[in-house]
Amino acid sequence: MHCRSLLLIGAALVLLAGCGREEPVLRPVDHVDLARYQGDWFVIANIPYWLENGKVATFDRYRERPDGTFDNEFHFRRGSFDAPEVVWHGSAKVTDTVSNAVWSVRFLWPFSTDYVVIDLDPEYRWAVVGHPSRTYLWVLSRTRTLPEDVYQGILWRAAGQGYDASLVVKVPQPADG
């Protein structure tokens, strides 16, 4: 029950994060090929918040369901690569079916949050997901590392969307795997 309470509080905070602030509209990418987007995405970096603090070896797994929605699993270990893997099971639904770049993600019913793909490698090697409040940002990759020049380019483009790149922190990933 403790974990559910934390998720509930976290979801409420995510929903309230953008209240009272006027930000320019977050620009999604032009198009996401959903078949190519499926699979595992390692979290290379994020703007930390309390639900993800202390988590290492994190990755998201997306699988399309027959009804067109997605299973969204968040895998992580707490504090150490040797800790047992934990999986949070969520769901995602594309809300902008023209671009497929804006989703609604839910890990605890009835709370959901916006998920906006704001940068995407043409070969789907990496992606950047944001939130309209600019409070949340995730740099994702198909591999556990990104070349530093690619990472710096991602941060530069995120800053162009109104993000404070100094808040983005790399998430520890194991060297092997």
Side-chain angles (χ1 to χ4, degrees):
M1 185 61 183
H2 179 64
C3 186
R4 279 203 183 274
S5 297
L6 289 177
L7 286 173
L8 181 63
I9 292 167
L13 291 174
V14 167
L15 291 172
L16 295 174
C19 293
R21 286 180 17 182
E22 287 294 322
E23 294 282 354
V25 174
L26 195 60
R27 293 181 315 275
V29 297
D30 291 335
H31 183 72
V32 174
D33 179 333
L34 296 176
R36 292 181 73 190
Y37 199 81
Q38 290 185 80
D40 293 352
W41 289 96
F42 295 97
V43 182
I44 300 301
N46 63 20
I47 295 178
Y49 72 105
W50 67 277
L51 273 177
E52 289 189 56
N53 286 341
K55 293 179 174 59
V56 301
T58 60
F59 69 94
D60 284 295
R61 177 172 290 149
Y62 301 100
R63 284 187 300 247
E64 191 167 10
R65 299 172 177 168
D67 67 0
T69 62
F70 288 81
D71 286 320
N72 179 189
E73 297 175 353
F74 179 61
H75 297 246
F76 62 91
R77 298 176 189 275
R78 287 189 173 101
S80 165
F81 298 140
D82 297 326
E85 185 174 85
V86 177
V87 181
W88 288 345
H89 298 274
S91 63
K93 178 182 179 181
V94 174
T95 58
D96 175 354
T97 57
V98 174
S99 71
N100 293 331
V102 182
W103 299 22
S104 177
V105 174
R106 174 180 293 140
F107 279 94
L108 181 65
W109 185 88
F111 301 103
S112 61
T113 190
D114 293 327
Y115 175 110
V116 183
V117 181
I118 63 169
D119 203 359
L120 180 62
D121 176 64
E123 298 302 318
Y124 288 68
R125 293 174 292 207
W126 54 262
V128 181
V129 175
H131 184 271
S133 69
R134 308 310 195 280
T135 307
Y136 307 100
L137 181 86
W138 295 270
V139 177
L140 308 175
S141 175
R142 296 296 191 177
T143 59
R144 293 183 190 274
T145 61
L146 277 176
E148 190 60 24
D149 61 327
V150 171
Y151 180 71
Q152 291 302 320
I154 287 169
L155 294 181
W156 182 80
R157 288 186 298 279
Q161 287 250 35
Y163 278 94
D164 180 348
S166 71
L167 299 176
V168 181
V169 175
K170 288 189 177 179
V171 174
Q173 291 286 349
D176 62 323

